[in-house]
Amino acid sequence: MDRFTNSRSLFTTILKLYKHSLEKSDIEKIWSVIRRLDPIVLESALQMYLSTSESEWFSWDSLKNAIKKSMRTKYPSGYEQFGVVSKQLIRCGLNGRQSIDLITDKVIDQIGGWAYLFNSTNLGMDRANFIKAYDQLVEDKITEEMMSLWVM
């Protein structure tokens, strides 16, 4: 099933369930958001929304929360990503720096760079700083993506 067919199918499901509580402007807004979402995020978000919705009335806030939670699954946790960085340090050493991804690279630069991590004398604190910074940048990225969805 292609992206358009999947989006249309899930959109139809929402219309059938909430037709009585949606206005025309809501329907247009829902389609505008749904058609721009990654298919995996879309399916996950709608399953989450439909399984947790306790009302027969459509809720934008609940849908936004479900989309945000589903977007978060696209990124590893800060803890998992620090494991990737640690393996890279062990495998490549100080001179073997390679780009992992934009968020991870930015966090490494923020906490002092590859050389700093390689020569660290307090890896526990550096890990905590990395995780905090990484998770914050991921949240910022998701917020940015969410804002772009609601721009018509």
Side-chain angles (χ1 to χ4, degrees):
M1 190 178 321
D2 67 15
R3 179 181 181 153
F4 179 77
T5 305
N6 189 37
S7 298
R8 190 139 182 103
S9 167
L10 293 167
F11 176 67
T12 303
T13 302
I14 285 181
L15 289 181
K16 285 179 184 175
L17 291 171
Y18 299 102
K19 180 172 49 175
H20 63 280
S21 68
L22 293 171
E23 296 180 16
K24 183 174 171 129
S25 63
D26 289 329
I27 293 169
E28 291 169 357
K29 197 184 309 182
I30 292 168
W31 177 244
S32 176
V33 169
I34 284 177
R35 69 184 171 82
R36 290 185 278 165
L37 276 173
D38 174 85
I40 294 169
V41 170
L42 171 64
E43 187 170 351
S44 172
L46 288 180
Q47 285 176 355
M48 189 180 310
Y49 175 80
L50 294 172
S51 68
T52 59
S53 178
E54 297 176 3
S55 172
E56 61 185 52
W57 301 98
F58 181 77
S59 166
W60 275 109
D61 289 338
S62 296
L63 180 61
K64 285 179 182 180
N65 288 337
I67 291 171
K68 189 171 186 175
K69 286 179 183 176
S70 296
M71 284 180 159
R72 183 60 177 100
T73 63
K74 293 190 314 185
Y75 301 96
S77 70
Y79 183 80
E80 293 168 324
Q81 201 61 7
F82 190 79
V84 172
V85 170
S86 296
K87 287 177 185 173
Q88 180 109 2
L89 282 169
I90 291 168
R91 185 177 46 239
C92 301
L94 179 60
N95 297 322
R97 177 185 195 256
Q98 295 178 343
S99 178
I100 296 175
D101 63 60
L102 292 175
I103 294 174
T104 304
D105 293 344
K106 188 172 183 177
V107 172
I108 290 169
D109 290 341
Q110 282 179 356
I111 63 173
W114 286 94
Y116 173 80
L117 282 175
F118 184 78
N119 295 312
S120 176
T121 57
N122 191 352
L123 199 55
M125 182 60 76
D126 294 331
R127 177 178 49 235
N129 290 336
F130 177 91
I131 292 169
K132 182 178 178 183
Y134 180 85
D135 287 341
Q136 184 59 55
L137 283 177
V138 167
E139 287 303 313
D140 293 348
K141 177 79 171 153
I142 291 170
T143 299
E144 182 181 304
E145 290 175 15
M146 291 286 294
M147 288 171 57
S148 73
L149 286 175
W150 271 265
V151 173
M152 303 294 171

